[in-house]
Amino acid sequence: DFKLFYFTLYADDTTVLVSDYSLDRLVCNINTELPLISKWFMDNKLSLNIDKSCFILFHHPHKQIDIDSIRVHIGGSVLKNVSSTKFLGLYIDQNITWKDHIKYIGNRIAKNTVIIRKISWYVPSHVLLLLYYSLIYPYLIYCNFIWGVNYKSRLLSLNVLQNRVLRIIFRLPYTVPVEPTRLQHGVLTVDQISILQSLLFMYKFHYNLQPNEFSNFFPSMSLTALEINKKKLFLQSLKPENC
């Protein structure tokens, strides 16, 4: 019976989450319950790959923490501490800045841009645009509403890479702005993708189309902000001029 841990399971990967206001109490609780997990593995004749197991401590970047002094034990072994880890295709860093994931996306886009550049000599622009949506766009849309809500300075590299590949696709000289061509072909920027995904999420949440895990994602309110504003406008319209 695990009382402190929250488990996220996907195929053969298991992620355990636990939080506390006190770092000492947090480490103590982890080292108290991890042996229970180890025992559960042994009782069910499952093996735990220690070499692929690690832990990450999420904290504010300005908070000074001696991470090297933290020891997390399981099955008689010490888990390694990492500053960034991959979780379901996302690179999550300890300060949740998404720098590592943005860097990863940039590297993949740069490599695939080379492919598109080599093919651009042989195929027309509309075919290259299909390749963009196959080789570039998936990296820009995957969980964008999570990492895409970020500082513009951190997303600048992705915007530059996107403009570069669009210039190749539409054969635009460097002196010609990309924006008019982007609008003409309906190619979304990183910011626009983030806004679109956020709106789709809220639409599904409002109409109960999201998984049950999101049912309590937002605090319930008797009136939405839009309904409240409508009522305010209605009351103001009824107010006498001499009031």
Side-chain angles (χ1 to χ4, degrees):
D1 184 14
F2 307 107
K3 299 179 180 179
L4 301 176
F5 289 166
Y6 175 81
F7 290 84
T8 301
L9 308 176
Y10 184 80
D12 61 343
D13 289 337
T14 301
T15 302
V16 180
L17 302 175
V18 60
S19 62
D20 202 297
Y21 290 104
S22 169
L23 178 59
D24 293 335
R25 187 167 58 242
L26 175 66
V27 176
C28 180
N29 291 337
I30 291 174
N31 286 323
T32 299
E33 294 229 339
L34 278 182
L36 300 178
I37 295 179
S38 179
K39 183 178 183 301
W40 185 91
F41 270 88
M42 289 187 294
D43 292 343
N44 290 273
K45 303 189 183 308
L46 297 172
S47 60
L48 178 65
N49 193 330
I50 298 296
D51 294 334
K52 291 186 178 180
S53 301
C54 60
F55 79 92
I56 182 170
L57 179 65
F58 298 106
H59 63 279
H60 194 279
H62 296 154
K63 188 172 184 179
Q64 299 296 327
I65 297 178
D66 186 11
I67 299 180
D68 294 333
S69 64
I70 299 175
R71 292 291 183 270
V72 176
H73 306 269
I74 184 171
S77 302
V78 178
L79 292 182
K80 61 181 177 182
N81 169 251
V82 295
S83 59
S84 177
T85 185
K86 190 176 183 180
F87 176 68
L88 300 182
L90 283 176
Y91 284 89
I92 308 176
D93 60 274
Q94 61 188 4
N95 303 133
I96 316 184
T97 62
W98 305 109
K99 289 182 179 179
D100 292 338
H101 187 69
I102 292 173
K103 182 179 180 181
Y104 165 75
I105 293 175
N107 291 335
R108 300 305 304 178
I109 291 177
K111 291 180 180 179
N112 290 340
T113 298
V114 175
I115 297 174
I116 294 178
R117 182 188 296 275
K118 291 181 179 179
I119 300 176
S120 65
W121 298 98
Y122 309 102
V123 296
S125 293
H126 71 274
V127 175
L128 295 176
L129 189 59
L130 292 177
L131 289 175
Y132 166 84
Y133 283 110
S134 299
L135 301 177
I136 307 294
Y137 193 64
Y139 291 104
L140 296 177
I141 65 172
Y142 183 68
C143 293
N144 182 291
F145 78 107
I146 296 177
W147 58 264
V149 185
N150 214 317
Y151 295 112
K152 292 186 180 297
S153 57
R154 291 181 183 156
L155 300 174
L156 179 61
S157 60
L158 297 183
N159 291 322
V160 171
L161 288 170
Q162 187 190 43
N163 287 342
R164 183 180 303 169
V165 70
L166 290 179
R167 288 186 182 279
I168 296 172
I169 292 173
F170 298 109
R171 298 174 171 83
L172 298 176
Y174 283 98
T175 56
V176 176
V178 178
E179 191 63 22
T181 305
R182 185 208 309 276
L183 292 174
Q184 179 183 353
H185 293 274
V187 179
L188 299 179
T189 64
V190 177
D191 291 336
Q192 290 170 341
I193 294 172
S194 179
I195 294 173
L196 176 62
Q197 289 193 350
S198 298
L199 291 173
L200 289 174
F201 179 89
M202 293 306 301
Y203 173 86
K204 292 180 179 179
F205 175 82
H206 181 73
Y207 289 101
N208 297 320
L209 300 176
Q210 294 283 15
N212 294 331
E213 286 76 8
F214 293 100
S215 58
N216 297 321
F217 203 72
F218 297 101
S220 59
M221 298 178 64
S222 57
L223 293 174
T224 65
L226 181 61
E227 290 172 335
I228 292 175
N229 289 333
K230 286 182 178 180
K231 289 183 178 293
K232 286 182 178 179
L233 291 174
F234 178 72
L235 291 174
Q236 288 177 356
S237 64
L238 292 179
K239 186 182 297 184
E241 294 182 357
N242 57 353
C243 289

